[in-house]
């Protein structure tokens, strides 16, 4: 493998890793702060992708506007979902959470089947993002993939600033480390939870919307991404956003290069990675613990 | 009493009694519907394929007035989710719970293998309307297992021959790492290397993963003369689009079995134009048989028929030929199987017979994508029979 091929493969790895991070960061927020094992998180990714498929025709070339509208809609959806379902889950044990959120997967899949059917769809990238650039003379790299990476980086930086530089972020970090202390300080934990949950849903849906023009939109797409995201969250350390970022990129690299060099074993690469990291650090790379 | 010997009288009485006693039974039997169990994907990347197969099957039954061999048909359905892990449970639902007379399924080769295994153990009649896993009519062949589609080897082998004839020397292959994919790639390599070419690298990714970018980068850096790809359904849509988006189609021709462009052209749009594939069916065969079929299909379901619809339609035709021979008495298994085995199916793809291993002996067409059609360019290989490696039983 020459150097320019290697660099393009790195770009592929980063792009995949960043997309994973968007989904996984929401999962780690919900998991780390509220202690809810949310199996339905992959469904939010799927909902995002189908949302993009449904509303893209109304926005045409205003792709950014579509993303913002989609984020607003899915955050609103998450807000009410927390109100109606998840707020009753916090005091339950993990088994009940798993059962409940698994049931939600089935409900979401069925609703999707009723509303948009079981067909596979493609979403067209807007004109200003179609086409490609020549990279190192090897191949044409789709501009949309570059845009997706850039969008993920913008969101990641925004997330970093919110979590580390704002009062809300301080409460979130405190909530991840010591929930009882936060409650004891008189912070409105219900509202905090609702906001965090809505943000988590919006992040997953945003990832789905960004992924839609790159990956086809198909039933059951949430299940695949969910498993990989749990791997990311476990490697990164539960509740840690920076851990999730490092883990996502690691998984992206292992998956991408595994596919190229160990084609027959490519399905297990990330699980081997997880095993090695957990032997070395049982709590994950950046565990905050709680 | 001169003209009637004693045995003759006894015989005629016996015949009369037998006729009287069996007639009501025969009537009762012709009233009980034949139970057909569909095990097809209703969700996931193959959902639309399963739908086409079911519609094709029902179209033929409806054309016969809802009856095959004089008996009504009753349908039972299970969504196989294209998940081999759930296959045995799902097929048992149809066999044990619904007690179907005949199983029809499925698309995913791994699931079909599990179905074939259960069908062998329980001696249930099975008609495979798509899954191409070679072993179904190879090492696992059985008297009660039929296929109306193809073996993965068939279109792949034909494509390998065509690619070699086009003067390509160095090819790469790419597919999902599951039975259908690996077998297809193997069939291609067999003919391609026989024709003087060489497959330099075989890329795979887990089913139903669609993150192709890394593998496309690998193809771009290796610069082979040609690429052979096996994908179907949603995965095929994305692969062909990604291949073009990476600009690879300009320098490295992309070949595949017809599944790469069948039932997916609308979604692939401009990306698929001009692509060459091989399959046992094409869009403008323009034979009276095919035209009638397509017209009826379009009228009934408001959409154009494709290869999956044809395979489902032929599954019903094959079952009908067997039921006709036994007058609807599906219990007469040996006669039924014999009739199905020796029939000539008047398929929209062109007439075909079955090999001793119960796989179609059929023409493989060379097709080119034009607009929303896979137009026929000629016959890549005539009356191609699967080698049925490992089949001992038949």
């Amino acid at each position: 493998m020459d150097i320019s091929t290697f660099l393009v493969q790195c770009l592929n790895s980063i792009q995949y890793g960043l997309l994973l991070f968007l989904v996984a960061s929401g999962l780690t927020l919900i998991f780390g702060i509220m202690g809810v094992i949310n199996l339905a998180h992959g469904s939010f990714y799927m909902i995002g992708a189908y949302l993009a498929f449904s509303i893209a025709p109304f926005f045409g070339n205003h792709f950014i506007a579509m993303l913002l509208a989609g984020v607003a809609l899915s955050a609103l959806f998450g807000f009410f979902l927390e109100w109606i379902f998840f707020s009753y889950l916090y005091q339950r044990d993990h088994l009940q959470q798993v059962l409940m959120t698994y049931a939600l997967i089935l409900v979401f899949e069925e609703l999707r089947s009723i509303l948009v059917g079981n067909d596979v769809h493609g979403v067209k990238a807007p004109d200003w993002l179609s086409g490609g650039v020549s990279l190192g003379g090897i191949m044409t790299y789709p501009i949309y993939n570059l845009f997706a990476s850039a969008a993920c980086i913008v969101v990641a930086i925004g997330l970093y600033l919110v979590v580390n530089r704002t009062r809300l972020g301080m409460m979130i970090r405190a909530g991840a480390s010591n929930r009882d202390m936060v409650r004891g300080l008189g912070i409105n934990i219900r509202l905090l939870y609702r906001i965090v949950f809505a943000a988590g849903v919006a992040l997953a849906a945003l990832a789905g919307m960004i992924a839609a023009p790159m990956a086809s939109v198909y039933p059951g797409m949430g299940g695949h991404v969910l498993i990989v995201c749990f791997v990311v969250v476990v490697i990164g350390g539960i509740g840690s956003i920076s851990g999730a970022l490092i883990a996502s990129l690691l998984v992206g690299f292992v998956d991408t290069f595994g596919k190229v060099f160990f084609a027959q074993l490519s399905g297990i690469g990330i699980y081997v990675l997880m095993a090695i990291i957990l032997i070395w650090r049982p709590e994950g790379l950046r565990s905050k613990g709680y | 009493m001169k003209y009637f010997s004693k045995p003759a009288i006894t015989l005629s009485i016996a015949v009369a009694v037998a006729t009287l006693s069996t007639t009501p039974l025969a009537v009762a039997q012709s009233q009980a519907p034949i139970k057909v169990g569909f095990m097809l994907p209703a969700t996931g990347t193959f959902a639309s394929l399963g739908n086409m197969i079911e519609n094709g099957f029902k179209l033929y039954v409806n054309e016969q007035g809802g009856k095959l061999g004089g008996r009504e048909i009753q349908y039972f359905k299970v969504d196989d989710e294209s998940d081999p892990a759930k296959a045995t449970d799902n097929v048992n639902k149809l066999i044990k719970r619904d007690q179907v007379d005949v199983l029809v399924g499925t698309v995913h080769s791994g699931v079909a293998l599990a179905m074939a295994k259960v069908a062998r153990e329980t001696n249930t009649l099975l008609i495979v309307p798509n899954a191409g896993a070679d072993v179904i009519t190879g090492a696992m062949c059985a008297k009660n297992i039929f296929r109306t589609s193809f073996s993965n080897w068939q279109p792949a082998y034909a494509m390998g021959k065509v690619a070699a004839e086009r003067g390509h020397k160095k090819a790469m292959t790419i597919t999902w790492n599951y039975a259908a994919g690996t077998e297809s790639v193997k069939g291609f390599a067999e003919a391609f290397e026989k024709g003087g070419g060489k497959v330099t690298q075989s890329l795979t990714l887990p089913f139903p993963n669609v993150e192709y970018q890394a593998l496309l980068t690998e193809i771009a850096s290796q610069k082979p003369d040609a690429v052979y790809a096996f994908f179907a359904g949603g995965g095929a849509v994305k692969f062909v689009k990604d291949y073009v988006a990476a600009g690879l189609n300009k320098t490295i021709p992309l070949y595949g079995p017809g599944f790469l462009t069948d039932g997916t052209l609308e979604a692939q749009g401009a990306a698929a134009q001009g692509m060459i594939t091989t399959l046992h069916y094409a869009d403008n065969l323009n034979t009276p048989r095919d035209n009638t079929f397509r017209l009826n299909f379009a009228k009934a379901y408001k959409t154009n028929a494709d290869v999956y619809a044809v395979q489902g339609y032929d599954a019903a035709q094959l079952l009908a030929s067997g039921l006709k021979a036994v007058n609807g008495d599906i219990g007469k298994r040996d006669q039924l199987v014999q009739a199905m085995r020796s029939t000539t199916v008047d398929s929209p793809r062109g007439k075909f017979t079955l090999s001793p291993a119960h796989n179609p002996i059929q023409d493989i067409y060379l097709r080119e994508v034009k607009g929303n059609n896979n137009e026929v360019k000629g016959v890549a290989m005539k009356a191609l029979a699967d080698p049925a490696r490992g089949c001992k039983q038949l």
Side-chain angles (χ1 to χ4, degrees), chain A residues 1-2 5 8-9 12 15-16 112 118-120 122-123 132 137-142 145 214-216 218-219 224 255-256 259-260 263-264 266-267, chain B residues 42-45 47-48 177 201-206 208-218 220-221 223 234-235 238 241-242 245-248:
Chain A
M1 177 179 280
D2 57 52
T5 312
V8 176
Q9 291 294 21
N12 291 330
Q15 186 254 306
Y16 179 50
R112 189 243 336 117
N118 290 321
D119 285 345
V120 179
V123 174
I138 303 173
M139 70 188 299
T140 313
Y141 202 82
N145 287 34
M214 292 191 292
S216 41
Y218 61 97
H224 180 243
D255 191 72
T256 301
K259 257 184 216 159
V260 177
Q264 302 301 322
S266 60
Chain B
T43 52
T45 191
S48 61
N177 191 5
Q201 200 178 350
S202 299
L203 302 171
T204 60
L205 68 170
N209 204 319
V210 291
E211 303 289 336
Y212 301 124
Q213 198 63 35
L215 298 177
L216 292 175
T217 306
E218 179 67 11
S221 76
K223 298 189 177 60
K238 170 135 199 290
K241 280 175 124 175
D242 284 6
L248 292 174

Side-chain angles (χ1 to χ4, degrees), chain B residues 33-39 57 71-78 89-105 115 118-119 122-127 144 319 323 330-331 333 336:
Chain B
I34 286 186
K35 294 179 172 179
V36 173
F38 284 125
M39 183 159 147
F57 192 98
R71 290 177 67 178
E72 298 275 346
I73 302 294
Q74 188 182 2
Y75 300 107
F76 294 84
K77 279 164 75 166
V78 159
D89 277 348
N90 282 332
V91 74
N92 277 329
K93 272 184 208 159
L94 289 169
I95 293 178
K96 300 216 169 103
R97 185 189 65 193
D98 302 329
Q99 304 195 316
V100 297
D101 297 308
V102 50
L103 272 173
V104 177
M115 289 180 77
V118 176
T122 59
N123 198 27
T124 310
L125 191 61
L126 167 67
I127 303 178
N144 56 317
L319 179 64
L323 286 173
I330 202 161
R333 173 62 64 81
L336 180 92

Side-chain angles (χ1 to χ4, degrees), chain B residues 21-172:
Chain B
S21 60
T22 53
T23 309
L25 194 72
V27 168
Q29 213 169 39
S30 72
Q31 280 164 349
I34 286 186
K35 294 179 172 179
V36 173
F38 284 125
M39 183 159 147
L40 294 167
T43 52
T45 191
F46 290 152
S48 61
L49 281 55
N51 190 36
M52 290 303 264
I53 290 169
E54 186 180 331
N55 286 346
F57 192 98
K58 287 182 170 167
L59 178 66
Y60 183 77
V61 174
N62 291 341
E63 283 176 3
Q64 312 306 310
K67 288 184 180 181
L68 298 183
R71 290 177 67 178
E72 298 275 346
I73 302 294
Q74 188 182 2
Y75 300 107
F76 294 84
K77 279 164 75 166
V78 159
D79 175 10
D80 70 30
E81 299 171 56
S82 297
D83 185 351
K86 296 179 186 164
T88 307
D89 277 348
N90 282 332
V91 74
N92 277 329
K93 272 184 208 159
L94 289 169
I95 293 178
K96 300 216 169 103
R97 185 189 65 193
D98 302 329
Q99 304 195 316
V100 297
D101 297 308
V102 50
L103 272 173
V104 177
T106 187
V107 173
H108 186 291
S109 280
V111 180
L113 284 180
M115 289 180 77
K117 197 159 167 281
V118 176
R120 270 172 76 110
E121 283 161 6
T122 59
N123 198 27
T124 310
L125 191 61
L126 167 67
I127 303 178
V128 180
N130 185 69
D134 291 343
V135 292
I136 293 174
T137 57
M140 287 182 80
C141 72
K143 281 204 169 66
N144 56 317
I145 297 175
F146 288 85
R147 178 149 58 188
T148 57
S149 48
F150 62 95
S151 71
N152 287 322
W153 182 90
Q154 282 179 313
Y157 188 84
M159 190 75 250
K161 180 172 167 269
V162 171
E165 281 169 4
R166 293 182 150 230
H168 301 304
K169 291 284 167 237
K170 213 177 82 173
M172 278 171 86

Side-chain angles (χ1 to χ4, degrees), chain B residues 207-330:
Chain B
F207 177 84
N209 204 319
V210 291
E211 303 289 336
Y212 301 124
Q213 198 63 35
L215 298 177
L216 292 175
T217 306
E218 179 67 11
I219 291 172
S221 76
Q222 300 266 333
K223 298 189 177 60
D225 300 332
V227 169
Y228 176 83
F230 176 96
F231 294 105
V237 174
K238 170 135 199 290
F239 183 78
V240 171
K241 280 175 124 175
D242 284 6
Y243 195 84
V244 171
L248 292 174
N249 62 322
K250 286 179 199 126
T251 49
I252 310 168
L254 174 62
Y255 299 120
F259 313 104
L260 207 51
T261 54
D262 240 283
T264 53
L265 280 178
E266 212 160 306
Q268 282 163 341
Q273 294 309 309
M275 264 188 63
I276 303 277
T277 57
T278 46
L279 201 66
H280 48 285
Y281 188 62
D283 278 327
N284 62 338
L285 291 176
N286 205 17
T287 58
R289 180 76 185 97
D290 189 43
N291 291 346
T292 317
F293 164 75
R294 292 183 77 90
L295 185 66
N296 289 346
F297 192 91
K299 270 188 197 158
Y301 305 109
K302 313 286 173 253
T303 176
N304 283 326
D306 59 13
V307 64
Y308 304 104
V310 171
Q311 293 168 169
Y313 187 80
D314 290 345
Q317 290 208 68
L318 184 64
L319 179 64
S321 70
L323 286 173
K324 204 173 156 201
V326 295
N327 278 322
D329 184 0
I330 202 161

Side-chain angles (χ1 to χ4, degrees), chain A residues 32-50:
Chain A
I33 294 166
M34 292 171 247
V36 176
I37 299 186
N38 179 22
L39 294 187
H41 199 71
S43 300
F44 303 145
Y45 173 78
M46 178 194 75
I47 288 169
Y50 274 92

